[in-house]
Amino acid sequence: MQDSCIFCKIINKTIPSSIIKENEDVIVIKDLYPKAPVHYLIIPKKHFSDIKDLEDSEINLAGKLLLMAKELSHDLSGSRAFRLVSNNGKESGQCVFHFHIHFLSGKQLLDF
Ligand code: AMP
Ligand code: ZN
């Protein structure tokens, strides 16, 4: 938990969010400014700034984030296509410095 971190506050329910799924290690919320019809954020409950901050010992947690993406895909329609994006560092576009993975779906996502 980092006092100034907006995602830590969401995880601790001190600020509201639209929660899609939650378990012991991971929370999934709707992105406040969606870039696709389905735009979720998969967020570990433990605070890391970004992937560079992840210890080797967190291999289990890293796997759980991907398995959460698989779980979310079950509720998609059609071919259940989706894209995962993770910004790591200010120059990559990261603006919330609590590690998270964007889960995007619901439109053509061919442009990168
Ligand atoms: P990034 O640029 O990868 O750090 O992504 C941060 C994402 O968090 C952006 O897509 C924002 O729209 C989203 N965001 C910021 N504040 C909130 C919030 N309070 N609830 C939900 N999503 C948020
Ligand atoms: Zn945090």
Side-chain angles (χ1 to χ4, degrees), residues 67-87:
L67 289 174
M68 179 57 87
K70 175 183 168 177
E71 199 176 317
L72 292 169
S73 78
H74 291 143
D75 295 329
L76 298 175
S77 52
S79 67
R80 295 167 47 220
F82 65 91
R83 172 176 289 172
L84 300 180
V85 174
S86 170
N87 298 317

Side-chain angles (χ1 to χ4, degrees), residues 1-2 5-9 11 45-48 97-99:
M1 165 78 188
Q2 204 176 79
C5 173
I6 191 161
F7 286 174
C8 282
K9 288 178 186 161
I11 289 158
K45 290 191 172 176
K46 186 168 175 185
H47 181 96
F48 302 98
F97 294 90
H98 178 131
F99 177 55

